[in-house]
Amino acid sequence: TPAPSSPASSPAAAAPAPALLAPAAIYAAAVKGGSIKAQLPLAKAFALAILAGVYISFGGLLSFTLLNFMPGLMSSNPGLAKLLSASVFPMGLSLILICGAELFTGNTALLPAAVYEGQAAWGDVLSRWLVVYAGNLVGCLGMVAAVYGTGLMAANTVLPALAVAKTSLPLGQALIRSVLCNWMVCLAVWMATAATSLPGKLMGLWLPVTAFVTVGLEHSIANMFVIPMGMALGAPVSIATFLTANLIPVTLGNMIAGALCTAGMYCLCYGRLGEKL
C-alpha cells in the first residue's frame, strides 16, 4: 500500500477570502470588474441595462409611495420622513449588484478605472456607456408605463411636485448636485465590492444611497423614472425641459463624479497615476 502523504506534501488549503477588502484591493477589484464590463457584448450590455433601469425604478416606486403615505410626518418632521422613505431606495442598487445588471452611473467609475490601468480602451468604454445609458432609459420608461397602468400612483402628489422641482433647478446647482450624488453612488459600489458576504454588500451600499436620496441630490438614472413618472401624473414639465434642465446636466455631473472623483482619485492613490508621485 502507498505510504500516506506527509503534511508537507499535502496540497495547501486555500486561504479564505477576507470579509472586507483593503482599499487598494477594492481598487484592484474595481479595475478587474471594469475590464470585464468593457468586453461585454453590446446586446448583452443593453439587456442588462434594461434590467438596471427597472430595478432602480422599483426602488423609486417603493420610496416615493412610502413618502406619499406620510403627509403628517412630512409636515411635522420632514427630515425623518425623507430619511425613512430614502432608506428603502437602495433596493434598486442591491438588485443590480447582487442579481446582475448594468447601471450607467456605476460604470462611469468602473470602466475608466480599467482604462487608467491599461486594461480597457476608451472606444470600448464609450460604446458601452452609450448602450447602457440607452438601456437604462428604456427600462425606466417601461416602468413608468407599467406603474401608470396599475393606477397605484394616481393619487401620488410627491412625484409631480418632485418633477417640477428637479427641472426648476439652476443649471449650476443641478451639475454640482449630480457630481456629489454619483460620488456617493460610486462609493456605494466600492463598498459593496469590498464585502464578500451578502449582508456586507447590503450594509456597504445602503448608507451612501440613503444619504443622497435624503439630501436631495441628482441621479440621472433615477431621474429617468422619477421625472417622467411625475409628468405622467400631471406635472407641467415638457420633454424638452426634462432633457435640457435636468437629464443632460445631471448626466454630465454623474460622469465627472465617476471618472474623476472616484476612479481618478483612487488610481492616483493606488494605481498607475500614483506611481510618479
Side-chain angles (χ1 to χ4, degrees):
T1 59
S5 59
S6 64
S9 62
S10 299
L20 188 68
L21 298 179
I26 300 172
Y27 177 68
V31 170
K32 182 179 179 181
S35 66
I36 293 171
K37 288 176 179 292
Q39 300 304 316
L40 193 64
L42 293 179
K44 184 173 289 187
F46 185 70
L48 288 167
I50 292 175
L51 289 178
V54 170
Y55 296 163
I56 289 292
S57 300
F58 276 137
L61 174 63
L62 177 59
S63 180
F64 295 112
T65 296
L66 178 61
L67 188 61
N68 194 64
F69 287 155
M70 298 188 292
L73 189 59
M74 274 294 289
S75 298
S76 63
N77 195 336
L80 180 59
K82 290 178 181 179
L83 176 62
L84 290 174
S85 65
S87 68
V88 298
F89 193 92
M91 180 182 74
L93 188 59
S94 301
L95 292 171
I96 290 167
L97 295 181
I98 293 165
C99 299
E102 288 293 310
L103 181 65
F104 170 77
T105 46
N107 285 1
T108 61
L110 295 174
L111 290 165
V115 174
Y116 299 156
E117 299 303 322
Q119 297 187 26
W122 276 115
D124 294 328
V125 170
L126 295 175
S127 62
R128 274 134 189 101
W129 273 356
L130 180 62
V131 166
V132 168
Y133 190 82
N136 289 167
L137 180 61
V138 169
C140 288
L141 295 181
M143 278 293 289
V144 169
V147 171
Y148 185 81
T150 68
L152 292 171
M153 303 291 279
N156 190 289
T157 59
V158 170
L159 286 169
L162 199 57
V164 172
K166 284 180 173 291
T167 53
S168 300
L169 289 171
L171 290 181
Q173 289 187 15
L175 183 67
I176 296 171
R177 291 186 189 192
S178 62
V179 172
L180 296 177
C181 175
N182 203 40
W183 201 346
M184 281 201 274
V185 171
C186 291
L187 290 175
V189 173
W190 238 245
M191 291 205 291
T193 301
T196 57
S197 68
L198 177 59
K201 288 182 179 294
L202 293 175
M203 291 174 64
L205 67 86
W206 178 79
L207 191 56
V209 176
T210 297
F212 99 70
V213 179
T214 302
V215 171
L217 300 179
E218 296 294 317
H219 187 265
S220 58
I221 310 306
N223 287 355
M224 290 176 180
F225 172 77
V226 170
I227 296 177
M229 192 74 245
M231 293 163 62
L233 296 174
V237 176
S238 68
I239 294 175
T241 299
F242 165 47
L243 295 176
T244 59
N246 185 275
L247 190 61
I248 292 173
V250 167
T251 299
L252 293 175
N254 287 170
M255 292 170 70
I256 291 169
L260 299 181
C261 300
T262 310
M265 286 302 296
Y266 280 117
C267 183
L268 183 66
C269 295
Y270 301 118
R272 293 171 70 181
L273 290 177
E275 292 175 356
K276 299 178 180 179
L277 298 181

